[in-house]
C-alpha cells in the first residue's frame, strides 16, 4: 500500500486506517465541513494492521511538516502509531499516556499533539444509551464482551464516572476469549481503580467459546447492559454469543459496530419483544468519534448534543446511507 504524501494545496484532514476509501466519512466529511464552515478536505492513508514503524513515522512526519495538513483521525493503528512516532509529538492529551494510544493528531501552532479520544467518545455514546441514575434505580449489571482497545476505553470512562460520584452498574463483567488480553485489561483496570480510589465491582472471565459467553449472560440481573466489543460481525464473521443465548429481561444490548453482518444485533432483535430489550448499534459512537477529532483538528467548538449535533447526525445519515456507512 503506497500512500501519496503530496503537499496539501488546501487545509486537509487525514483518515489513517486500513480501508479508508470504503468509509462513508469520505462522503460525510465534505457535507459536515460545509455545515460547520470548515474549509477543508479529507484524504485516507491506508496501512496494514501492525505495519512497519517506519511507515507510520513517514505519515506523521509528513503531516507535521506540511503546513496545510491539519491533522488526522487514527483507527486500528492507535497503539502502533504512537509507539512508532512518540518522539514527533510535542504534547499528548489526557488518556494518551496511560492508554499508550492516540486516535487524534492535531496541531497547536508549531506543536504536534496526540489525543486518545476513545474514553470520551465511548462515554458520550454510553450516556446517550443509559439515563442518569439508571444503575442506582435498577441495580443492573454490565457485561462487556471483548477486552480490546474499545473495551478498555469504556472501562476507563466508567472509572472516571465513578470518580465523579456518579452511579455505576452493580458489577462490570469483562469476558475475553484469549487469556493474554484479558489479563492485560484486568491489570490496567485494577490499577486505574486503585489510583482513582473508587469502589467498583469488577469481574473477569476467560471465555474461549460463545457458549461460555452465553453462560455468563444468562445470569445477568434484569435490566443489565450487554456490549459487543469483540468486533465479531464486522472484523470477523459471527457473534460472541450463540443463538441460544438468553439476554436479561428488560436489558440493553449495545453493538459497537453499525456495519457488517451484525449477527449479535440479529440475536438481540430476535428476542427484543419477548424480553423487552433496547437494542442499539454503533452509529452514535461513529459520529461522536469523528466529531470530537474534527473539533480538535480544526479548533472548532462542536457540541455533543442539541440542535447542531442533531443536524450533524442527520447530515451523516443522508450522506452515508445504511448500505455504505463505514467506520
Ligand atoms: N462505531 C464506532 O465508531 C466504533 C468505535 C470504536 C470501536 N468500534 C468497533 O468495536 C470493535 C472492537 O474494537 P477494539 O478496538 O476494541 O478491537 P480489538 O482491540 O481487536 O478487541 C477485540 C477483543 O475482542 C475479543 N474477542 C473476540 N472474539 C471474542 C469472543 N467470542 N468472546 C470474547 N472475546 C472475544 C478479542 O480477543 P482476543 O484477545 O482473543 O483477540 C479482543 O480482545 C471493532 O470492530 C471496532 O470497529 C466501533
Amino acid at each position: 500500500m503506497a500512500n501519496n504524501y503530496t503537499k496539501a494545496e488546501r487545509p486537509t484532514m487525514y483518515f489513517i486506517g486500513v480501508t479508508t476509501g470504503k468509509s462513508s466519512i469520505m462522503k460525510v466529511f465534505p457535507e459536515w465541513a460545509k455545515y460547520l464552515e470548515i474549509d477543508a478536505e479529507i484524504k485516507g492513508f491506508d496501512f496494514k494492521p501492525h505495519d512497519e514503524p517506519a511507515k507510520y513515522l513517514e505519515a506523521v512526519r509528513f503531516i507535521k511538516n506540511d503546513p496545510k495538513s491539519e491533522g488526522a483521525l487514527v483507527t486500528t493503528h492507535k497503539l502502533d502509531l504512537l509507539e512508532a512516532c512518540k518522539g514527533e509529538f510535542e504534547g499528548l492529551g489526557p488518556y494518551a499516556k496511560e492508554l499508550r494510544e492516540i486516535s487524534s493528531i492535531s496541531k497547536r501552532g508549531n506543536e504536534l499533539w496526540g489525543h486518545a479520544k476513545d474514553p470520551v467518545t465511548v462515554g458520550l455514546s454510553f450516556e446517550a444509551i443509559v439515563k442518569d441514575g439508571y444503575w442506582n434505580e435498577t441495580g443492573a449489571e454490565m457485561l462487556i464482551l471483548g477486552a480490546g482497545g474499545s473495551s478498555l476505553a469504556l472501562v476507563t470512562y466508567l472509572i472516571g464516572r465513578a470518580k465523579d460520584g456518579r452511579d455505576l452498574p452493580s458489577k462490570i463483567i469483562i469476558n475475553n476469549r484469549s487469556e493474554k488480553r484479558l489479563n492485560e485489561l484486568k491489570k490496567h483496570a485494577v490499577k486505574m481503580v486503585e489510583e482513582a480510589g473508587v469502589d467498583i465491582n469488577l469481574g473477569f472471565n476467560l471465555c474461549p467459546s460463545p457458549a461460555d459467553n452465553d453462560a455468563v449472560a444468562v445470569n445477568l440481573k434484569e435490566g443489565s447492559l450487554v456490549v459487543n466489543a469483540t468486533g465479531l460481525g464486522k472484523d470477523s464473521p459471527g457473534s460472541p454469543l450463540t443463538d441460544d443465548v438468553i439476554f436479561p429481561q428488560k436489558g440493553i444490548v449495545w453493538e459497537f459496530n453499525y456495519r457488517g453482518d451484525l449477527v449479535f444485533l440479529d440475536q438481540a432483535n430476535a428476542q427484543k419483544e419477548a424480553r423487552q430489550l433496547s437494542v442499539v448499534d454503533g452509529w452514535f459512537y461513529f459520529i461522536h468519534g469523528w466529531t470530537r477529532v474534527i473539533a480538535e483538528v480544526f479548533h472548532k467548538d462542536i457540541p455533543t448534543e442539541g440542535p447542531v449535533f442533531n443536524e450533524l447526525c442527520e447530515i451523516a445519515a443522508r450522506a452515508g446511507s445504511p448500505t455504505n456507512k463505514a467506520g
Side-chain angles (χ1 to χ4, degrees):
M1 277 178 239
N3 291 312
N4 181 5
Y5 299 119
T6 313
K7 183 177 182 305
E9 295 301 332
R10 56 183 293 234
T12 304
M13 173 171 180
Y14 298 90
F15 175 20
I16 297 179
V18 181
T19 51
T20 57
K22 288 192 185 154
S23 174
S24 66
I25 195 60
M26 297 303 176
K27 291 189 178 131
V28 173
F29 183 90
E31 300 305 316
W32 276 354
K34 260 186 250 164
Y35 176 68
L36 294 166
E37 298 178 343
I38 295 172
D39 171 28
E41 59 186 90
I42 188 160
K43 283 188 181 158
F45 288 156
D46 290 340
F47 296 94
K48 287 184 298 200
H50 309 296
D51 216 331
E52 295 157 38
K55 295 202 172 164
Y56 295 124
L57 203 52
E58 187 183 12
V60 168
R61 282 191 175 149
F62 166 74
I63 294 171
K64 184 172 179 165
N65 296 319
D66 186 42
K68 290 200 170 137
S69 291
E70 305 286 351
L73 178 141
V74 186
T75 61
T76 311
H77 315 287
K78 291 177 278 195
L79 281 159
D80 294 321
L81 185 141
L82 183 60
E83 177 64 27
C85 308
K86 270 196 295 275
E88 299 299 312
F89 290 92
E90 275 76 30
L92 292 177
Y95 302 120
K97 273 188 205 138
E98 62 189 292
L99 301 183
R100 289 179 286 122
E101 65 167 47
I102 52 165
S103 53
S104 162
I105 299 174
S106 60
K107 292 178 176 176
R108 293 181 180 179
N110 291 329
E111 294 182 352
L112 194 70
W113 276 72
H115 287 84
K117 292 284 180 191
D118 286 4
V120 176
T121 58
V122 77
L124 287 164
S125 314
F126 175 88
E127 297 296 337
I129 292 170
V130 191
K131 67 176 174 37
D132 232 6
Y134 177 82
W135 305 106
N136 277 350
E137 277 164 32
T138 60
E141 300 162 320
M142 177 169 173
L143 170 61
I144 308 175
L145 302 167
S150 55
S151 174
L152 176 61
L154 182 53
V155 171
T156 305
Y157 172 74
L158 292 169
I159 293 170
R161 195 180 140 105
K163 214 175 160 190
D164 291 342
R166 299 178 63 200
D167 66 328
L168 277 198
S170 58
K171 185 165 188 184
I172 299 169
I173 305 160
I174 296 129
N175 289 4
N176 201 63
R177 74 181 164 189
S178 82
E179 198 162 16
K180 185 173 174 284
R181 275 282 185 92
L182 185 70
N183 286 342
E184 278 167 13
L185 193 141
K186 184 176 179 178
K187 209 170 118 194
H188 216 115
V190 167
K191 186 166 166 265
M192 283 193 291
V193 165
E194 273 171 20
E195 283 170 3
V198 290
D199 183 20
I200 300 182
N201 188 3
L202 290 169
F204 298 89
N205 300 305
L206 179 61
C207 292
S209 77
D212 298 321
N213 288 323
D214 288 3
V216 178
V218 73
N219 288 315
L220 292 169
K221 291 184 183 155
E222 184 172 304
S224 293
L225 169 61
V226 182
V227 183
N228 180 18
T230 65
L232 290 188
K234 182 189 142 222
D235 303 333
S236 331
S239 162
L241 302 170
T242 77
D243 286 345
D244 295 330
V245 64
I246 299 174
F247 285 103
Q249 194 69 27
K250 293 187 182 163
I252 307 168
V253 183
W254 182 14
E255 161 63 60
F256 268 0
N257 284 308
Y258 58 84
R259 67 175 174 110
D261 183 9
L262 301 176
V263 179
F264 175 85
L265 271 190
D266 296 341
Q267 290 168 332
N269 280 322
Q271 296 180 29
K272 191 173 173 176
E273 276 182 33
R275 308 200 69 81
Q276 297 173 269
L277 304 176
S278 305
V279 182
V280 186
D281 74 7
W283 182 233
F284 278 106
Y285 193 1
F286 166 80
I287 294 189
H288 282 304
W290 273 97
T291 50
R292 283 313 87 212
V293 179
I294 292 171
E296 194 70 53
V297 169
F298 295 102
H299 309 284
K300 187 104 192 160
D301 186 16
I302 303 176
T304 55
E305 57 183 3
V308 172
F309 181 75
N310 293 343
E311 185 58 27
L312 289 168
C313 293
E314 295 207 357
I315 292 169
R318 280 197 299 271
S321 77
T323 47
N324 63 12
K325 282 186 222 164

